[in-house]
Amino acid sequence: MPGPTTRHSQFVPTLSNANGRAADLICLSHLRWNFVFQRPQHLMTRFAAERRVFFFEEPLFDAETSRIDVQVSHGVHVVVPHLRAGTAPGAAELALQHLMRTLCTGWHITKPVVWVYTPMALPLVDDIDTSAIVYDCMDELTGFSGASPELCERERELFSRADVVFTGGHSLYEAKRRSHRNVHPFPSSVDVAHFAQARRIAAEPADQQSIPRPRLGFAGVIDERMNLQLVGEVASLRPDWQIVMIGPIVKIDPATLPQASNIHYLGMRKYEELPAYLAGWDVAMLPFAHNAATRYISPTKTPEYLAAGCPVVSTSVSDVVRPYGEQQLVQIADTPADFVRAAELAMGEAGRQSVRKAGTLPGTMSWDRTWAAMKALIDDAQSRRYAARPVRAHIAFEFGHTRPATSAS
């Protein structure tokens, strides 16, 4: 049962972890579970169908005494650490290590798979006997504003301890593949059935219904990766077009957003609602800037837009140009004038051809396939680590006399 510092909504019995298989999974994330539903949520919900998954978020500094709250969402145990306001960074790390031990003790978590999204959280599992360490390098976090100066060193340590490394796209794979012996590219995938609903939906969401057409839409996080100047200039060049922006505004001043009568910021919408919005767009946009935060970006929205049957216009970020631009599935443009011309093409026969050409392509990029391939690589890493353990240490552990030696190899 959970310990006294843990609040919970349900208890799930421990699954068998014979030979390290179906071990509990602890995910260390820099993103909140209830933020945009994206790669971590897609993968963790699939893992949760076969094992217990504990999604350990970054702390909230709002408590009188340190504690963790555990709630279950989509089958995933979402763990929210609460620390005292004003706790210094070094003390916070020690407190989080203690809360991690509390979690493992209270929930009887033994030899878990540890899945890391942020290298900064690696010290939290220093005292945990793991069956495998996975680094899912979804983004190049060092390129984001406010990145910790320790991030590079923490990532080097993570590479030295990880059993397997995944990257969020092919360009990021090329950047990381020499850092570890077992690196695999897994570009953004898509829930095809979910977004294909957009091809059949006729009813408009209430807040989009009154917006005239044609509409150019974007759905995602609005942050430093957006080329907001481009968005504003496209709106200025074509005042008869309406630009619909869906998503939370993060780490940028909302006052810096371009404002015009034909730009509509609708805010964050639930993942379940997105197909209804996409159904009413004439063009889906990927107006990304060219900066350190987008150098290796592999936008999840590309296959989602295509699955929804939307013609797509994107700036020339590498993982969109290859393969989507080269295969003429997406129009590529960077300047405002070129973006307008590309959108005009996307609204015409060229756009219809690109949607037809995309065909069943999103189905080859499903999250189910991505998850299955990742799971096979993790199973292999666990087997290798188990096989490498000395026999005597393993036997002693089985009888409870000692713990086996751990290894990152």
Side-chain angles (χ1 to χ4, degrees):
M1 293 282 297
T5 59
T6 303
R7 299 178 183 178
H8 63 98
S9 57
Q10 74 178 58
F11 174 75
V12 180
T14 304
L15 300 176
S16 170
N17 63 352
N19 295 328
R21 304 303 173 91
D24 292 334
L25 188 153
I26 297 174
C27 178
L28 304 176
S29 179
H30 59 295
L31 299 173
R32 299 283 172 196
W33 179 261
N34 289 323
F35 190 53
V36 176
F37 200 93
Q38 53 188 308
R39 182 185 183 101
Q41 289 83 353
H42 280 293
L43 294 172
M44 293 305 115
T45 54
R46 284 162 174 80
F47 276 112
E50 63 160 18
R51 67 183 77 203
R52 294 192 305 177
V53 173
F54 296 87
F55 189 89
F56 200 98
E57 295 187 346
E58 290 188 331
L60 296 176
F61 294 87
D62 61 355
E64 293 184 6
T65 58
S66 298
R67 72 174 197 275
I68 50 175
D69 290 344
V70 182
Q71 300 291 331
V72 178
S73 174
H74 296 79
V76 173
H77 296 71
V78 181
V79 183
V80 183
H82 296 264
L83 302 183
R84 292 171 61 97
T87 304
E93 192 167 273
L94 290 174
L96 289 171
Q97 288 175 334
H98 172 73
L99 291 177
M100 178 63 75
R101 290 192 295 270
T102 298
L103 176 74
C104 291
T105 300
W107 287 83
H108 306 291
I109 302 170
T110 58
K111 302 188 70 61
V113 172
V114 170
W115 184 293
V116 183
Y117 277 111
T118 170
M120 295 303 296
L122 186 61
L124 274 60
V125 293
D126 281 349
D127 297 334
I128 306 300
D129 184 18
T130 65
S131 63
I133 294 179
V134 180
Y135 178 24
D136 190 7
C137 185
M138 180 171 64
D139 293 302
E140 179 54 82
L141 295 180
T142 59
F144 285 73
S145 61
S148 169
E150 298 178 61
L151 188 55
C152 288
E153 180 58 36
R154 291 282 177 93
E155 185 178 65
R156 281 192 288 270
E157 182 183 357
L158 179 52
F159 277 129
S160 73
R161 294 173 59 181
D163 297 277
V164 60
V165 176
F166 306 137
T167 65
H170 289 287
S171 59
L172 193 51
Y173 166 76
E174 291 299 326
K176 302 293 184 181
R177 65 187 180 90
R178 293 181 180 84
S179 299
H180 195 274
R181 66 198 176 283
N182 193 17
V183 184
H184 305 269
F186 283 100
S188 296
S189 303
V190 59
D191 183 341
V192 178
H194 178 68
F195 284 94
Q197 295 177 86
R199 299 171 181 259
R200 305 184 297 273
I201 293 174
E204 287 267 18
D207 57 349
Q208 186 171 273
Q209 188 173 21
S210 62
I211 298 174
R213 299 183 78 153
R215 300 181 189 134
L216 282 65
F218 169 80
V221 180
I222 301 170
D223 61 9
E224 64 195 280
R225 296 171 296 177
M226 289 288 99
N227 187 336
L228 296 174
Q229 182 178 350
L230 174 65
V231 172
E233 292 189 20
V234 169
S236 178
L237 287 171
R238 292 304 302 262
D240 56 321
W241 290 358
Q242 307 299 314
I243 296 179
V244 177
M245 303 289 285
I246 293 176
I249 299 166
V250 178
K251 294 200 306 182
I252 59 173
D253 184 353
T256 65
L257 298 175
Q259 302 293 329
S261 60
N262 62 332
I263 303 178
H264 310 269
Y265 298 98
L266 302 188
M268 187 169 175
R269 291 295 178 266
K270 294 179 181 178
Y271 179 74
E272 292 78 12
E273 299 174 305
L274 294 181
Y277 285 93
L278 271 61
W281 295 354
D282 298 283
V283 174
M285 301 188 303
L286 293 169
F288 287 108
H290 289 283
N291 58 31
T294 63
R295 183 179 179 185
Y296 302 113
I297 192 172
S298 176
T300 303
K301 293 304 165 190
T302 317
E304 291 177 349
Y305 288 161
L306 292 174
C310 293
V312 183
V313 179
S314 174
T315 51
S316 59
V317 293
S318 295
D319 281 17
V320 178
V321 173
R322 293 183 300 273
Y324 302 102
E326 291 178 347
Q327 296 181 19
Q328 298 182 325
L329 302 177
V330 171
Q331 302 288 331
I332 303 295
D334 285 310
T335 69
D338 286 345
F339 208 90
V340 166
R341 282 191 289 270
E344 290 172 338
L345 288 172
M347 291 181 203
E349 181 57 28
R352 289 187 287 273
Q353 287 182 1
S354 68
V355 170
R356 288 195 296 268
K357 190 173 182 179
T360 59
L361 174 66
T364 67
M365 305 170 63
S366 75
W367 283 115
D368 287 337
R369 293 182 63 159
T370 296
W371 169 80
M374 287 177 164
K375 179 181 179 298
L377 290 166
I378 295 169
D379 288 347
D380 180 68
Q382 288 178 296
S383 296
R384 289 174 182 272
R385 206 200 271 198
Y386 183 81
R389 289 197 173 97
V391 174
R392 289 183 62 189
H394 171 66
I395 292 173
F397 174 71
E398 290 293 312
F399 285 92
H401 297 305
T402 188
R403 290 168 56 156
T406 59
S407 169
S409 60

